[in-house]
Amino acid sequence: MIAELGNYALALSLAVAVFLSIFPLWGAEKGNIQLMSLARPMTYGLFLSLTVAFCALLYLFAVNDFSVQYVVNNSNTNLPLQYRLSAAWGSHEGSLLLWIWLMTLWAAAVALFSKQLPQESVARVLGIMGIVTIGFLVFVLFTSNPFNRTFPDFPVDGRELNPLLQDVGLIFHPPLLYMGYVGFSVAFAFAIASLMTGRLDTAWARWSRPWTMAAWVFLTLGIVLGSWWAYYELGWGGWWFWDPVENASLMPWLAGTALLHSLAVTEKRGSFKAWTVLLAILAFSLCLLGTFLVRSGILVSVHAFASDPTRGLYILVYLIIVIGGSLGLYAYKGGQIRSRDNAERYSRETMLLLNNILLMSALAVVFLGTLLPLVHKQIGLGTISIGTPFFNQMFLIIMTPFSLLLGIGPLVKWRRDQFSAIRKPVIISLMVMLVAGFALPYLLQDTLTVSSVLGVMMAVIIVLLSLYELQQRATHRSGFFSGLSKLSRSHWGMMLAHLGVAMMVWGIAFSQNYSVERDVRMKIGDTAQIAGYDYKFQGISEANGPNYTGGKAQVDITKNGKFEAILFAEKRFYTVSRMTMTEAAIDWGFTRDLYVALGESLGDGSWALRLYYKPFIRWIWFGGVFMALGGLLCMFDRRYRFSKVLKEE
């Protein structure tokens, strides 16, 4: 009964989405206020019907209804409740339903919080989001329905959720990531609506910027959480593997970052209008591309959901329609867009333009590095590999000037400026940067590498120039502390985000260059040393769970005879899926992580263990959180209150 209710709710959602995509847009085109006024109630109805469908799926997992095929494939009676519920989005069908539900959540939020916007604009934006939703609903109903029954079979138990996904990371990582993905549909809808009306002014940029910022914040948190999850769950000690699906999330993030900075120029100076619209289209298009890569079956990845070419073909056709249609409209209407390009060569507009060029260069590197091997293989030219060294080297080249721009850009005035105004602090900062770039890695790790020196230089120049800019802004018209209290949330958000980049670069520089890894064979009582830390193997004990059996190794860690930590690394055998998993043990610190992963028994009382020393690796995720907090502060800046926007306009 509940499964049928979920099916009915999906069918009703499709009908409502069709009406939403027709009547409000028709009313906006004809100036019919009654039709335009239907946009909000239809959006709320669409959200409500999909909420019923999604809650029905959660209920089916909670009660272990094994008459539903999707529940059979991803749950088991021994699976803890929290993992049964998160299993609802642990595979293809449920994750797609989560995607659609979150899209309608965004649409409902736009309907609720944009009451002060012109009715015509809201009708167009919500209508466009309805069109996007139709494609996904058709896909779910006809190719990926999570409510299909198993009849006439009725299994007494399920096959269990993939053990890799039986982790708290599954509870939060996909929802956050999808919130970012589908959030860019709002920026996309605003851009298409503005193209349709020809109204591309500063008001449009100010309306769409907080929604774009919100999507970017969620996507940032989703990527950061996914990186942390991979670090502690996979047992490899890595935080980013340049996996094609990881890259599929990085591409819209890079496009979204460029879009935020371009929107700042459009909002402030009325420039970059056509480019900003194109970036909004590009960001959401890359989100759809990521969906295609994950669900098409052309990838072999721990992130891939499906291996059905039919589903992949549907998504590819949908991708072509959405991207082709939006780019066709852009080609038709883009020539009518006029910007006030009156900035001189040395101005903040130019700094932000260079920022966008470098971000697009990074995007091109990831795009080509990810898709070229896939295309090469699909057209029958054989297998080629573009690995980690390529991406690392290219990003090092791109990030070096980007970091300098990140520090200098906020110091430059809009429209026109003179470098002489900031020559002295920039030269001093560069001198400090050069000294610190060599001194800090050597003092902290006793050795130097090219990438570590460059990484430290990047972090230092961002921090120095950001602090100088903060001092200049605070003391512009008042004392330092009084000036700090007057700074806008948007300014504090920018500071936090830029400092977050510096923290992340610092963490990458040290963890990539100075991490130590050892694979060792140890018996009880044996000791191995890495990076001055002594790891002593104390033995194995049982560690059984509700749906697995296993053992855990106790490893005591000391440094110069002083106690540091006791770690318990586990090896688990999941009895239903017949899979063996490693659960790493980590002692984290502000400046280093100590990491132990348990391997196999070697038959003579000894065990294989993998030991790691990871300096400053947590700074990578701290930096990501700082960036997200910065975006959050910018979202709540006073100038993005819609009633205030309309008064000013």
Side-chain angles (χ1 to χ4, degrees), residues 25 78 145 277 282 296 319 376 393 396 406 437-438 478 514 522 531:
L25 289 175
N78 293 325
N145 195 323
V277 171
L282 178 63
S296 63
L319 194 68
H376 199 271
Q393 291 172 13
L396 182 63
L406 211 61
F438 288 94
S478 58
Y514 300 115
M522 302 182 78

Side-chain angles (χ1 to χ4, degrees), residues 99-144:
W99 172 291
I100 303 170
W101 179 71
L102 291 175
M103 181 172 289
T104 61
L105 174 62
W106 278 99
V110 172
L112 182 63
F113 296 111
S114 300
K115 291 182 179 179
Q116 302 297 328
L117 295 185
Q119 194 170 44
E120 179 187 349
S121 297
V122 174
R124 290 185 186 275
V125 168
L126 296 179
I128 292 164
M129 296 187 74
I131 293 174
V132 175
T133 305
I134 288 174
F136 283 103
L137 281 169
V138 170
F139 184 41
V140 168
L141 279 168
F142 295 103
T143 72
S144 308

Side-chain angles (χ1 to χ4, degrees), residues 148-193:
N148 286 340
R149 294 286 192 179
T150 59
F151 300 146
D153 299 326
F154 199 126
V156 296
D157 211 340
R159 299 171 189 166
E160 191 175 45
L161 179 67
N162 186 332
L164 268 175
L165 304 179
Q166 294 181 33
D167 186 86
V168 68
L170 179 66
I171 300 174
F172 299 105
H173 169 57
L176 285 173
L177 199 66
Y178 291 178
M179 278 291 284
Y181 280 157
V182 301
F184 281 117
S185 67
V186 179
F188 172 81
F190 269 102
I192 297 300

